[in-house]
Amino acid sequence: MRARSAMTTAALTALVLTLPVTTASAAPAPAPGTAPGTASAGTGGATAPAAFVSLGIRRLLDTRSYRENPTGQARKLQPGENFPVPLSTWKSHPPREVPEVPADATAVVVNVTATNTTEDGYLTVRRDADLPGAPATSTLNFKAGETVSNTVTVAVARRGANTSPQISVYNNAGTTDVVVDILGYYGPGTSTRPAERYDNVMPIRVTDTRVEGGRLGWGSVVTAGVARDSLGTYEATSVLLNVTAVDPSTEGFVVAYPSDGTLPIEGSHLNYGPGRTVANQVVVPVGADGGIKLFNTGSTDLVVDVIGYYGPWAHHLYSALTEQSRLLDTRDDGQSPFSTHRLQVTGVAGVPENAATVTLNMTVTEPQAAGHLEVYAADQGGRPGTSNLNFNAGQTVANGVTADQGGVQHAVDIYHHSAGRSQLIADLTGYFVQG
């Protein structure tokens, strides 16, 4: 398949499916000299706390097109290449670079897709293409020939006066095309694009086509009410979701947009393939009626969980780590079936005591059976009954996670629901503090 180019309120049980076996692609090993299960903290610190500005979805990079590649040519990323991605678009009449974020933006939320991959490998999205060597963390893993996407929040690097900031994408193996869509940024707002704070909510399922509505086909549009009193999100201007394509029988993609808006010309939030249940974190503006729409291609069931929201009366600002840090790697001790791993985050990699919520990139590798992960506050008082990441036997898969730490233990619980053992990896990308 290809990445897209121009073109009930009750909480339900999480996904547990038995799906065909696939071959794993290896996630990166811990940083040299760092034992699995410990943090490999970056040395660059974190960005200043900032509010969020939503941009909907806009394409920054498509290496398949010379028009959407800052090099001016269509070419794939090479093995071991750090590829700089200016946070801007290019206009041809007259030729000019148009910044998509202000010069004082601190971090961006981007959806990154690997497609036309030739070998099993991974991508890492990070701040600066000039950072030496291979990164110690990963953003998404792929098999040869597979299209995979993941949403990540990453600190930005400055490029000098009168130029937009940039991020970089590292490719570790084979050649691959890369597509980058920007969803928003952290930094100052404007009169037309206000910067807004974030609040978590107890994860709750708002859409499950297996229960209501039926399986989706090409061109299907699902409408979900996401800003309402019953969810604690009535004031939301944008929502943070986990969207899952369940047991698809074809290739396809999903695009989310406001209920009173039009389908974006280009961009995608979730890519899927036959027999591969896959989830992705999504940020989307909310329509005036409190709803969003999800446009689907292919054949799949769809599940949508609300995780949090941005709005004028929310309370938290975001700091992105300038160098992402590995907090957990169980590859010396696989996670047991139906078990919970407690991850202490406060005090690690510079996370302050007043951090209320953390952003992680979770990876499952070497799973013996299909299953899912639930990530939630350790003192929440029970699992939410939703899912953050779904995997098949033998498949390496990653997804962004935004999790409340709770008010007492300052830790998150990772519940592993599977009939077999798996290896878990958690990379810290940033945190929210009250402000």
Side-chain angles (χ1 to χ4, degrees), residues 80-372:
E81 181 177 8
N82 272 308
F83 190 87
V85 183
L87 299 172
S88 56
T89 52
W90 292 86
K91 306 297 182 183
S92 55
H93 300 292
R96 67 198 187 280
E97 180 182 0
V98 179
E100 291 290 349
V101 305
D104 50 0
T106 59
V108 289
V109 182
V110 291
N111 192 61
V112 180
T113 304
T115 191
N116 299 325
T117 55
T118 59
E119 295 183 23
D120 296 0
Y122 64 87
L123 299 181
T124 301
V125 183
R126 57 178 177 170
R127 174 176 57 93
D128 195 344
D130 294 330
L131 291 172
T137 59
S138 61
T139 301
L140 62 86
N141 298 76
F142 50 81
K143 293 170 50 192
E146 187 176 56
T147 296
V148 181
S149 55
N150 194 11
T151 298
V152 63
T153 303
V154 59
V156 303
R158 308 290 174 219
R159 295 198 297 151
N162 302 318
T163 58
S164 64
Q166 72 175 22
I167 57 176
S168 74
V169 180
Y170 172 83
N171 174 47
N172 91 301
T175 62
T176 181
D177 279 309
V178 175
V179 179
V180 179
D181 297 324
I182 186 170
L183 310 183
Y185 67 89
Y186 289 93
T190 66
S191 59
T192 57
R193 294 179 187 162
E196 297 182 330
R197 290 170 169 81
Y198 173 81
D199 276 344
N200 256 10
V201 297
M202 176 78 76
I204 187 168
R205 187 149 292 171
V206 294
T207 297
D208 188 340
T209 63
R210 300 169 302 175
V211 176
E212 184 177 2
R215 192 172 181 85
L216 304 179
W218 192 97
S220 297
V221 177
V222 174
T223 300
V226 293
R228 54 180 190 259
D229 288 345
S230 60
L231 302 180
T233 58
Y234 65 94
E235 64 180 23
T237 56
S238 296
V239 287
L240 183 64
L241 311 170
N242 202 66
V243 179
T244 307
V246 183
D247 196 19
S249 58
T250 66
E251 297 176 339
F253 60 82
V254 175
V255 186
Y257 57 101
S259 55
D260 56 1
T262 57
L263 179 66
I265 296 174
E266 58 184 2
S268 60
H269 288 97
L270 174 69
N271 287 268
Y272 57 81
R276 181 167 59 92
T277 293
V278 62
N280 200 13
Q281 194 165 250
V282 171
V283 183
V284 59
V286 176
D289 63 354
I292 63 167
K293 291 182 178 179
L294 299 107
F295 173 83
N296 173 69
T297 67
S299 175
T300 188
D301 276 305
L302 199 67
V303 171
V304 180
D305 299 329
V306 176
I307 301 168
Y309 71 95
Y310 296 90
W313 306 110
H315 301 91
H316 297 94
L317 303 174
Y318 185 73
S319 290
L321 294 193
T322 51
E323 293 183 40
Q324 299 161 15
S325 298
R326 178 141 297 173
L327 300 184
L328 173 70
D329 189 335
T330 68
R331 281 177 284 187
D332 276 358
D333 181 19
Q335 192 71 8
S336 300
F338 304 101
S339 60
T340 300
H341 188 105
R342 181 151 296 171
L343 183 62
Q344 196 74 40
V345 181
T346 296
V348 176
V351 178
E353 288 290 333
N354 64 336
T357 300
V358 294
T359 57
L360 306 168
N361 199 68
M362 292 294 310
T363 303
V364 170
T365 190
E366 303 173 21
Q368 296 174 343
H372 69 269

